Amino acid sequence: MRRFKQQMSDQECLDLLQTAPRGVLAVIGHGGYPHTVPINSLYHDGHIYSHCAKEGHKPDATRQCDKVSFCVLSQGVRESDRWWYHFQSVVCFGRIRKVRDTSRTDTLLRTLRRKYFPHYYDMQSDMARNAHRAIVLELHIEHITRKMSVKNNISCPICL
């Protein structure tokens, strides 16, 4: 990282990966074009998990090329007299694959649902209706960059 003073600590990085409500997964799409898609995710045991339908652009793209990146951002804070936001970002690079063990897939789908669904939601009936249509993708992280904007008097925060 070029601006090492703006590097987040390991703990701040993990906290953001665990608490960010959504992230953006980048894959190599049709015709070699980059394709990004916002996803619900789960950071667990050093991996990032997400779910998707068995058929579609995301699973097709990840079968064609397993190299991906995944980005999360904090909500950010804007000082009242400034136009820019101070925020944290984490970008993970790695390889993604389908989780093949069905019992593990079931467990991960339930864990994802617990993170996002309200406590009163009937998870059992939802799993019975929809789980057979879903797969879980596991991102094996190879490299992480993590950055926070720094409050200072720089005139162009975009150049941070």
Side-chain angles (χ1 to χ4, degrees):
M1 187 169 134
R2 188 173 56 86
R3 296 191 145 212
F4 64 90
K5 290 181 182 178
Q6 292 176 261
Q7 185 166 328
M8 295 166 55
S9 71
D10 290 346
Q11 189 58 53
E12 289 171 317
C13 176
L14 293 177
D15 289 346
L16 185 55
L17 283 172
Q18 290 171 339
T19 60
R22 278 157 200 81
V24 178
L25 180 69
V27 299
I28 303 299
H30 298 301
Y33 285 98
H35 177 78
T36 59
V37 59
I39 61 170
N40 293 334
S41 65
L42 172 69
Y43 178 81
H44 180 68
D45 288 337
H47 297 88
I48 295 167
Y49 297 94
S50 63
H51 75 289
C52 65
K54 291 180 178 180
E55 304 294 327
H57 188 77
K58 190 176 8 173
D60 290 348
T62 59
R63 280 190 293 269
Q64 292 290 322
C65 180
D66 66 345
K67 291 181 180 179
V68 300
S69 67
F70 175 73
C71 177
V72 293
L73 297 171
S74 65
Q75 184 174 354
V77 175
R78 187 174 66 87
E79 294 177 61
S80 61
D81 61 336
R82 307 289 181 186
W83 60 268
W84 64 83
Y85 281 80
H86 299 281
F87 64 93
Q88 297 173 313
S89 64
V90 174
V91 181
C92 302
F93 300 88
R95 295 182 181 262
I96 199 164
R97 66 181 171 97
K98 174 185 168 184
V99 174
R100 301 208 179 273
D101 181 306
T102 55
S103 66
R104 191 159 167 253
T105 296
D106 184 72
T107 299
L108 289 164
L109 283 172
R110 289 175 188 282
T111 306
L112 275 160
R113 281 176 166 76
R114 275 193 296 277
K115 180 178 177 182
Y116 290 100
F117 289 19
H119 70 281
Y120 56 82
Y121 188 79
D122 184 0
M123 191 184 309
Q124 274 308 114
S125 64
D126 184 81
M127 289 289 290
R129 282 190 321 271
N130 299 311
H132 68 282
R133 292 187 221 135
I135 61 172
V136 173
L137 298 174
E138 178 180 58
L139 171 53
H140 294 264
I141 300 169
E142 295 176 348
H143 177 69
I144 295 178
T145 61
R146 50 192 185 249
K147 182 179 178 181
M148 60 183 161
S149 66
V150 177
K151 293 183 180 184
N152 54 27
N153 294 323
I154 294 175
S155 60
C156 179
I158 296 171
C159 300
L160 293 176

